[in-house]
Amino acid sequence: NTAIGFLRLVGYIVKNIKAGIITLGHNWRGKEVVNTQKDVFKFFGFQVPSELSWYWQYSQNENLETLESYKKDVAAFEKAFDLKY
């Protein structure tokens, strides 16, 4: 089967490559997105150390969609990462 052969080849190529993902967001499922993507990396054979994947999101409240909250989001992000312009 061509698909199985391709997956074996990909697995052979990536087996020694470490992979991770960083997601940034306002209020929607950052943890779930990171965990799903880590599962995809693992499926394809990548090494997935925990320290290479993380997320930042302003709020856990999925209904927080006000203009004011988005303005506060920017300030919180800048503070969290000590960004100065």
Side-chain angles (χ1 to χ4, degrees), residues 3 7-8 10-11 14 36-48:
L7 290 177
R8 285 187 184 143
V10 169
V14 303
T36 298
Q37 188 60 53
K38 285 172 65 176
D39 288 344
V40 171
F41 289 150
K42 289 174 188 174
F43 174 81
F44 282 104
F46 289 95
Q47 296 177 30
V48 187

PDB file of all heavy atoms in Angstrom, residues 3 7-8 10-11 14 36-48:
ATOM      1  N   ALA A   3       0.172   4.378   0.771  1.00  0.00           N
ATOM      2  CA  ALA A   3       0.011   5.235   1.947  1.00  0.00           C
ATOM      3  C   ALA A   3       0.806   4.692   3.129  1.00  0.00           C
ATOM      4  O   ALA A   3       1.477   5.449   3.842  1.00  0.00           O
ATOM      5  CB  ALA A   3      -1.469   5.364   2.308  1.00  0.00           C
ATOM      6  N   LEU A   7       3.952   6.526   5.069  1.00  0.00           N
ATOM      7  CA  LEU A   7       3.990   6.750   6.516  1.00  0.00           C
ATOM      8  C   LEU A   7       5.245   6.130   7.138  1.00  0.00           C
ATOM      9  O   LEU A   7       5.850   6.709   8.034  1.00  0.00           O
ATOM     10  CB  LEU A   7       2.732   6.221   7.190  1.00  0.00           C
ATOM     11  CG  LEU A   7       1.451   7.002   6.894  1.00  0.00           C
ATOM     12  CD1 LEU A   7       0.258   6.332   7.560  1.00  0.00           C
ATOM     13  CD2 LEU A   7       1.576   8.443   7.344  1.00  0.00           C
ATOM     14  N   ARG A   8       5.654   4.969   6.659  1.00  0.00           N
ATOM     15  CA  ARG A   8       6.894   4.358   7.165  1.00  0.00           C
ATOM     16  C   ARG A   8       8.095   5.224   6.813  1.00  0.00           C
ATOM     17  O   ARG A   8       8.989   5.416   7.639  1.00  0.00           O
ATOM     18  CB  ARG A   8       7.065   2.958   6.588  1.00  0.00           C
ATOM     19  CG  ARG A   8       6.154   1.951   7.212  1.00  0.00           C
ATOM     20  CD  ARG A   8       6.477   0.555   6.719  1.00  0.00           C
ATOM     21  NE  ARG A   8       5.515  -0.377   7.266  1.00  0.00           N
ATOM     22  CZ  ARG A   8       5.025  -1.414   6.606  1.00  0.00           C
ATOM     23  NH1 ARG A   8       5.428  -1.667   5.378  1.00  0.00           N
ATOM     24  NH2 ARG A   8       4.151  -2.207   7.177  1.00  0.00           N
ATOM     25  N   VAL A  10       8.113   8.498   6.235  1.00  0.00           N
ATOM     26  CA  VAL A  10       8.041   9.706   7.062  1.00  0.00           C
ATOM     27  C   VAL A  10       8.501   9.383   8.477  1.00  0.00           C
ATOM     28  O   VAL A  10       9.290  10.127   9.067  1.00  0.00           O
ATOM     29  CB  VAL A  10       6.616  10.298   7.063  1.00  0.00           C
ATOM     30  CG1 VAL A  10       6.482  11.384   8.120  1.00  0.00           C
ATOM     31  CG2 VAL A  10       6.275  10.855   5.690  1.00  0.00           C
ATOM     32  N   GLY A  11       8.041   8.274   9.028  1.00  0.00           N
ATOM     33  CA  GLY A  11       8.451   7.872  10.370  1.00  0.00           C
ATOM     34  C   GLY A  11       9.953   7.680  10.474  1.00  0.00           C
ATOM     35  O   GLY A  11      10.582   8.065  11.459  1.00  0.00           O
ATOM     36  N   VAL A  14      11.630  11.295  10.398  1.00  0.00           N
ATOM     37  CA  VAL A  14      11.400  12.214  11.514  1.00  0.00           C
ATOM     38  C   VAL A  14      11.669  11.614  12.889  1.00  0.00           C
ATOM     39  O   VAL A  14      11.584  12.320  13.887  1.00  0.00           O
ATOM     40  CB  VAL A  14       9.962  12.794  11.482  1.00  0.00           C
ATOM     41  CG1 VAL A  14       9.686  13.485  10.172  1.00  0.00           C
ATOM     42  CG2 VAL A  14       8.915  11.737  11.787  1.00  0.00           C
ATOM     43  N   THR A  36      -3.753  18.370  20.969  1.00  0.00           N
ATOM     44  CA  THR A  36      -4.106  17.731  19.693  1.00  0.00           C
ATOM     45  C   THR A  36      -2.928  17.762  18.727  1.00  0.00           C
ATOM     46  O   THR A  36      -2.607  16.750  18.086  1.00  0.00           O
ATOM     47  CB  THR A  36      -5.328  18.434  19.054  1.00  0.00           C
ATOM     48  OG1 THR A  36      -6.438  18.303  19.937  1.00  0.00           O
ATOM     49  CG2 THR A  36      -5.659  17.838  17.699  1.00  0.00           C
ATOM     50  N   GLN A  37      -2.261  18.897  18.632  1.00  0.00           N
ATOM     51  CA  GLN A  37      -1.130  18.996  17.709  1.00  0.00           C
ATOM     52  C   GLN A  37       0.021  18.090  18.145  1.00  0.00           C
ATOM     53  O   GLN A  37       0.689  17.480  17.310  1.00  0.00           O
ATOM     54  CB  GLN A  37      -0.644  20.436  17.598  1.00  0.00           C
ATOM     55  CG  GLN A  37       0.397  20.619  16.517  1.00  0.00           C
ATOM     56  CD  GLN A  37      -0.105  20.235  15.142  1.00  0.00           C
ATOM     57  OE1 GLN A  37      -1.141  20.704  14.694  1.00  0.00           O
ATOM     58  NE2 GLN A  37       0.635  19.374  14.460  1.00  0.00           N
ATOM     59  N   LYS A  38       0.247  17.981  19.454  1.00  0.00           N
ATOM     60  CA  LYS A  38       1.280  17.068  19.944  1.00  0.00           C
ATOM     61  C   LYS A  38       0.951  15.628  19.553  1.00  0.00           C
ATOM     62  O   LYS A  38       1.847  14.857  19.169  1.00  0.00           O
ATOM     63  CB  LYS A  38       1.424  17.201  21.461  1.00  0.00           C
ATOM     64  CG  LYS A  38       2.141  18.471  21.877  1.00  0.00           C
ATOM     65  CD  LYS A  38       2.113  18.705  23.376  1.00  0.00           C
ATOM     66  CE  LYS A  38       2.857  17.677  24.156  1.00  0.00           C
ATOM     67  NZ  LYS A  38       2.908  17.976  25.599  1.00  0.00           N
ATOM     68  N   ASP A  39      -0.320  15.259  19.624  1.00  0.00           N
ATOM     69  CA  ASP A  39      -0.739  13.914  19.204  1.00  0.00           C
ATOM     70  C   ASP A  39      -0.463  13.696  17.720  1.00  0.00           C
ATOM     71  O   ASP A  39      -0.046  12.611  17.312  1.00  0.00           O
ATOM     72  CB  ASP A  39      -2.219  13.688  19.500  1.00  0.00           C
ATOM     73  CG  ASP A  39      -2.519  13.523  20.978  1.00  0.00           C
ATOM     74  OD1 ASP A  39      -1.579  13.277  21.768  1.00  0.00           O
ATOM     75  OD2 ASP A  39      -3.706  13.668  21.360  1.00  0.00           O
ATOM     76  N   VAL A  40      -0.683  14.719  16.912  1.00  0.00           N
ATOM     77  CA  VAL A  40      -0.408  14.613  15.471  1.00  0.00           C
ATOM     78  C   VAL A  40       1.089  14.413  15.244  1.00  0.00           C
ATOM     79  O   VAL A  40       1.505  13.550  14.465  1.00  0.00           O
ATOM     80  CB  VAL A  40      -0.919  15.863  14.719  1.00  0.00           C
ATOM     81  CG1 VAL A  40      -0.444  15.867  13.273  1.00  0.00           C
ATOM     82  CG2 VAL A  40      -2.440  15.932  14.782  1.00  0.00           C
ATOM     83  N   PHE A  41       1.918  15.203  15.923  1.00  0.00           N
ATOM     84  CA  PHE A  41       3.368  15.028  15.804  1.00  0.00           C
ATOM     85  C   PHE A  41       3.778  13.601  16.175  1.00  0.00           C
ATOM     86  O   PHE A  41       4.580  12.966  15.481  1.00  0.00           O
ATOM     87  CB  PHE A  41       4.116  16.007  16.703  1.00  0.00           C
ATOM     88  CG  PHE A  41       4.070  17.448  16.260  1.00  0.00           C
ATOM     89  CD1 PHE A  41       4.130  18.460  17.206  1.00  0.00           C
ATOM     90  CD2 PHE A  41       3.991  17.809  14.935  1.00  0.00           C
ATOM     91  CE1 PHE A  41       4.114  19.792  16.836  1.00  0.00           C
ATOM     92  CE2 PHE A  41       3.966  19.134  14.542  1.00  0.00           C
ATOM     93  CZ  PHE A  41       4.030  20.131  15.496  1.00  0.00           C
ATOM     94  N   LYS A  42       3.243  13.103  17.288  1.00  0.00           N
ATOM     95  CA  LYS A  42       3.576  11.754  17.744  1.00  0.00           C
ATOM     96  C   LYS A  42       3.133  10.713  16.718  1.00  0.00           C
ATOM     97  O   LYS A  42       3.863   9.754  16.448  1.00  0.00           O
ATOM     98  CB  LYS A  42       2.926  11.469  19.089  1.00  0.00           C
ATOM     99  CG  LYS A  42       3.552  12.231  20.236  1.00  0.00           C
ATOM    100  CD  LYS A  42       2.770  12.016  21.536  1.00  0.00           C
ATOM    101  CE  LYS A  42       3.265  12.920  22.638  1.00  0.00           C
ATOM    102  NZ  LYS A  42       2.438  12.826  23.850  1.00  0.00           N
ATOM    103  N   PHE A  43       1.960  10.902  16.142  1.00  0.00           N
ATOM    104  CA  PHE A  43       1.450   9.972  15.138  1.00  0.00           C
ATOM    105  C   PHE A  43       2.432   9.831  13.977  1.00  0.00           C
ATOM    106  O   PHE A  43       2.667   8.748  13.461  1.00  0.00           O
ATOM    107  CB  PHE A  43       0.088  10.434  14.619  1.00  0.00           C
ATOM    108  CG  PHE A  43      -0.424   9.611  13.480  1.00  0.00           C
ATOM    109  CD1 PHE A  43      -1.056   8.398  13.713  1.00  0.00           C
ATOM    110  CD2 PHE A  43      -0.272  10.032  12.165  1.00  0.00           C
ATOM    111  CE1 PHE A  43      -1.527   7.627  12.654  1.00  0.00           C
ATOM    112  CE2 PHE A  43      -0.733   9.267  11.103  1.00  0.00           C
ATOM    113  CZ  PHE A  43      -1.361   8.060  11.352  1.00  0.00           C
ATOM    114  N   PHE A  44       3.028  10.948  13.571  1.00  0.00           N
ATOM    115  CA  PHE A  44       3.957  10.913  12.447  1.00  0.00           C
ATOM    116  C   PHE A  44       5.382  10.529  12.855  1.00  0.00           C
ATOM    117  O   PHE A  44       6.271  10.476  12.021  1.00  0.00           O
ATOM    118  CB  PHE A  44       3.951  12.250  11.703  1.00  0.00           C
ATOM    119  CG  PHE A  44       2.759  12.390  10.805  1.00  0.00           C
ATOM    120  CD1 PHE A  44       1.691  13.189  11.165  1.00  0.00           C
ATOM    121  CD2 PHE A  44       2.676  11.689   9.609  1.00  0.00           C
ATOM    122  CE1 PHE A  44       0.585  13.305  10.342  1.00  0.00           C
ATOM    123  CE2 PHE A  44       1.578  11.796   8.776  1.00  0.00           C
ATOM    124  CZ  PHE A  44       0.526  12.608   9.155  1.00  0.00           C
ATOM    125  N   GLY A  45       5.591  10.255  14.143  1.00  0.00           N
ATOM    126  CA  GLY A  45       6.870   9.724  14.578  1.00  0.00           C
ATOM    127  C   GLY A  45       7.848  10.715  15.183  1.00  0.00           C
ATOM    128  O   GLY A  45       8.970  10.351  15.515  1.00  0.00           O
ATOM    129  N   PHE A  46       7.452  11.964  15.308  1.00  0.00           N
ATOM    130  CA  PHE A  46       8.341  12.949  15.918  1.00  0.00           C
ATOM    131  C   PHE A  46       8.506  12.670  17.407  1.00  0.00           C
ATOM    132  O   PHE A  46       7.608  12.150  18.061  1.00  0.00           O
ATOM    133  CB  PHE A  46       7.768  14.372  15.772  1.00  0.00           C
ATOM    134  CG  PHE A  46       7.814  14.909  14.378  1.00  0.00           C
ATOM    135  CD1 PHE A  46       6.716  14.798  13.540  1.00  0.00           C
ATOM    136  CD2 PHE A  46       8.946  15.559  13.903  1.00  0.00           C
ATOM    137  CE1 PHE A  46       6.736  15.311  12.254  1.00  0.00           C
ATOM    138  CE2 PHE A  46       8.974  16.074  12.622  1.00  0.00           C
ATOM    139  CZ  PHE A  46       7.876  15.955  11.795  1.00  0.00           C
ATOM    140  N   GLN A  47       9.652  13.073  17.948  1.00  0.00           N
ATOM    141  CA  GLN A  47       9.816  13.146  19.389  1.00  0.00           C
ATOM    142  C   GLN A  47       9.115  14.429  19.830  1.00  0.00           C
ATOM    143  O   GLN A  47       9.257  15.457  19.181  1.00  0.00           O
ATOM    144  CB  GLN A  47      11.294  13.218  19.764  1.00  0.00           C
ATOM    145  CG  GLN A  47      12.084  11.990  19.396  1.00  0.00           C
ATOM    146  CD  GLN A  47      13.545  12.192  19.736  1.00  0.00           C
ATOM    147  OE1 GLN A  47      13.906  12.904  20.657  1.00  0.00           O
ATOM    148  NE2 GLN A  47      14.398  11.531  18.966  1.00  0.00           N
ATOM    149  N   VAL A  48       8.366  14.374  20.928  1.00  0.00           N
ATOM    150  CA  VAL A  48       7.571  15.533  21.337  1.00  0.00           C
ATOM    151  C   VAL A  48       7.828  15.837  22.828  1.00  0.00           C
ATOM    152  O   VAL A  48       6.998  15.548  23.680  1.00  0.00           O
ATOM    153  CB  VAL A  48       6.068  15.290  21.074  1.00  0.00           C
ATOM    154  CG1 VAL A  48       5.269  16.555  21.336  1.00  0.00           C
ATOM    155  CG2 VAL A  48       5.830  14.792  19.655  1.00  0.00           C
TER     156      VAL A  48
END
